[in-house]
Amino acid sequence: MAQSGPPHFAPDSPQTRLGGRDAPFEILARVGRSLLETDDFEQQLALTLSLATEALQAGRGSVMVFDPELGELTIRCAHGLPPEAIDSRRRFGEGISGWVAANREPVLLHGGVLDERFEGADPTIGSSLSLPLAVGGTTLGVLNLVRRTDERFTEEDLSLASSLADLASVAIEKARLHTALRERESRVSDLLAAVIRAQEQERRRIAGDIHDGFLQDLSALFLRAEIAKSHVEAGRPEEAAEVLVALQEMVRAQMRGVRDFILQVRPPALDEVGVGPTLRMMVERIATENSIEATFEDRTGPGRLPRPLETIIYRTAQEALRNVVLHAHARQIWVDMSRGEREVTLSVRDDGRGMGSDASSGHERRNHYGIETMRERVELTGGRLHIGPWAGGGTEVVAVIPIDAVD
Ligand SMILES: Nc1ncnc2c1ncn2[C@@H]1O[C@H](COP(=O)(O)OP(=O)(O)O)[C@@H](O)[C@H]1O
Ligand SMILES: [Mg+2]
């Protein structure tokens, strides 16, 4: 089957085969109509291949899609090829398909492929047509059609297939844009839902803190005031004054508490001096209040990070540290921030008792949203959150967040 010498390019053939008995115009009209049937990218590729193999009576065929970022063509649908052919790749510019994609010119070949342009091509190939799928200046892929050697493609076949490929290209590009738009829309609505969820969880937590903290303390204040009142009514002004002094002290403590609470909800330092110094203050405060040894290292270098990124890092550190204080029984905490070329890494490690097996099973853990919210917030940016045991004993939380994710 293989023959030596250069490949035959479009030999003239008296037997014109145009997809059975139909004239090219009729075939193309039918192809054009069919291509309007779907706006789904994958379906459009499959449709293109089935229309082309039928119209050109090709025993084998494939549609390859070009990925400009990888510089590769990938077989996305195939006819008459072994299943493993799907997803096989070709470098742009290499082999027949690579050449066709790079030069945006069709190629008709017969017999053994010994043409030096197509190095690496299957030498047992029969008669083949490879057509660029392209719109304007954009290469979308390649349509390959193959017949047995004794049923060679003709010049007319080439011309019909080229017109078909041009029609299909427009339809494929339209479907590609349509599908990309749909994916984008669904990503945006996922994102919106996640943002709303994270916001609601944060509000729930704040509401819980106000309930457990301030509301109970206020009831205690009210009770003291009642006692003072009854002393006054009973004509015991000295006792009343004593209670009032204690009450004043309680109010003062409350005011401090409210101030701290506001700082935690949204520390002004985060806007004023950035996440590094704000985290340092937070770590120092936690260390003093809980008698834990804590070290904080900021290796992000000079200059501020994008503001939304700073907020995400701060919130992540805040929840991780809150968990250490509430659950870990740690003696030591290490907080570290570093900056790579494309991402910022935050790690919070403790030497406490570890998470145990109960922590991750979210189903039974109603009202425990800390880790979930932390993870969601980081993953929304395209980052990763790891939480688990580490070599130093205790628990580590490591968040890796792309720098350009938010701005
Ligand atoms: N640093 C830690 N050390 C030990 N246990 C932890 C730590 N962080 C989290 N946990 C465990 O994981 C659980 C879930 O944490 P989280 O989702 O923040 O909810 P919550 O803090 O409200 O309980 C905690 O209840 C705790 O059992
Ligand atoms: Mg928590």
Side-chain angles (χ1 to χ4, degrees):
M1 195 161 71
Q3 58 186 48
S4 55
H8 292 221
F9 273 85
D12 283 327
S13 160
Q15 307 140 291
T16 319
R17 313 184 55 141
L18 297 171
R21 267 158 280 136
D22 292 343
F25 170 75
E26 282 163 32
I27 294 175
L28 288 175
R30 192 158 52 83
V31 166
R33 275 195 306 277
S34 303
L35 288 171
L36 292 175
E37 278 168 19
T38 179
D39 260 335
D40 182 85
F41 183 62
E42 298 290 334
Q43 278 178 17
Q44 193 62 263
L45 298 179
L47 190 61
T48 297
L49 183 62
S50 81
L51 289 168
T53 49
E54 192 198 335
L56 274 302
Q57 297 185 328
R60 286 190 281 156
S62 65
V63 174
M64 305 184 89
V65 171
F66 176 52
D67 181 337
E69 268 174 37
L70 295 176
E72 277 180 351
L73 292 153
T74 309
I75 296 190
R76 289 286 277 275
C77 54
H79 171 78
L81 295 181
E84 58 271 21
I86 293 287
D87 287 340
S88 60
R89 290 152 198 276
R90 254 277 171 241
R91 300 268 338 142
F92 189 68
E94 282 176 15
I96 302 174
S97 318
W99 189 93
V100 169
N103 294 277
R104 278 196 240 130
E105 262 178 52
V107 164
L108 170 59
L109 289 171
H110 302 303
V113 178
L114 296 172
D115 192 312
E116 63 201 7
R117 286 177 303 169
F118 312 136
E119 215 177 311
D122 177 2
T124 65
I125 209 160
S127 176
S128 83
L129 269 177
S130 291
L131 307 126
L133 297 167
V135 178
T138 311
T139 303
L140 305 173
V142 174
L143 169 64
N144 293 307
L145 299 168
V146 180
R147 276 189 196 159
R148 296 212 322 258
T149 322
D150 52 357
E151 298 173 346
R152 294 180 166 196
F153 285 117
T154 62
E155 186 74 1
E156 286 83 358
D157 289 336
L158 173 65
S159 137
L160 172 66
S162 294
S163 304
L164 192 150
D166 288 345
L167 274 179
S169 298
V170 176
I172 289 171
E173 176 64 352
K174 181 164 157 265
R176 189 183 68 82
L177 293 173
H178 200 265
T179 303
L181 197 68
R182 261 207 321 267
E183 278 169 10
R184 203 188 147 91
E185 264 171 12
S186 108
R187 262 204 311 279
V188 167
S189 72
D190 284 357
L191 203 74
L192 192 66
V195 167
I196 290 170
R197 233 175 5 252
Q199 212 173 48
E200 284 310 302
Q201 280 161 13
E202 185 70 5
R203 286 188 184 170
R204 204 176 289 133
R205 194 187 60 73
I206 293 173
D209 282 358
I210 291 175
H211 179 271
D212 297 347
F214 305 124
L215 211 55
Q216 277 172 18
D217 291 348
L218 285 176
S219 327
L221 288 182
F222 186 81
L223 211 68
R224 284 294 164 102
E226 279 292 311
I227 296 170
K229 191 171 103 190
S230 61
H231 281 314
V232 171
E233 281 166 359
R236 294 192 296 264
E238 270 162 35
E239 280 91 337
E242 226 169 85
V243 176
L244 284 172
V245 169
L247 195 139
Q248 263 182 328
E249 199 38 61
M250 284 168 78
V251 170
R252 213 171 275 134
Q254 275 294 295
M255 284 160 62
R256 272 199 303 273
V258 172
R259 230 174 264 132
D260 285 353
F261 183 74
I262 291 170
L263 278 182
Q264 281 178 41
V265 171
R266 179 75 208 182
L270 196 52
D271 299 314
E272 289 157 11
V273 288
V275 66
T278 310
L279 275 187
R280 184 178 299 284
M281 284 188 276
M282 180 161 78
V283 170
E284 279 165 8
R285 182 176 54 76
I286 286 171
T288 343
E289 282 175 5
N290 301 280
S291 314
I292 303 178
E293 252 185 70
T295 54
F296 173 72
E297 213 172 325
D298 180 357
R299 296 182 285 132
T300 56
R304 298 272 302 257
L305 294 165
R307 300 301 193 266
L309 190 67
E310 289 198 321
T311 305
I312 291 166
I313 294 170
Y314 177 77
R315 293 282 171 232
T316 307
Q318 189 180 36
E319 177 56 31
L321 287 166
R322 192 183 284 141
N323 278 347
V324 175
V325 170
L326 287 177
H327 312 297
H329 302 290
R331 278 175 308 167
Q332 203 160 354
I333 311 176
W334 296 266
V335 182
D336 187 288
M337 246 168 68
S338 61
R339 178 182 190 154
E341 205 175 299
R342 292 167 167 235
E343 48 200 23
V344 172
T345 303
L346 165 80
S347 69
V348 176
R349 298 190 167 90
D350 68 64
D351 66 348
R353 62 176 181 178
M355 297 228 307
S357 55
D358 62 328
S360 48
S361 50
H363 306 298
E364 303 107 62
R365 306 195 56 83
R366 298 230 170 89
N367 299 321
H368 294 266
Y369 296 111
I371 292 175
E372 202 183 305
T373 309
M374 200 157 48
R375 185 181 302 283
E376 196 160 75
R377 209 178 258 134
V378 170
E379 286 177 356
L380 268 178
T381 67
R384 308 183 298 278
L385 186 96
H386 159 82
I387 172 160
W390 67 291
T395 306
E396 71 171 358
V397 174
V398 181
V400 181
I401 306 166
I403 292 175
D404 61 0
V406 281
D407 205 356

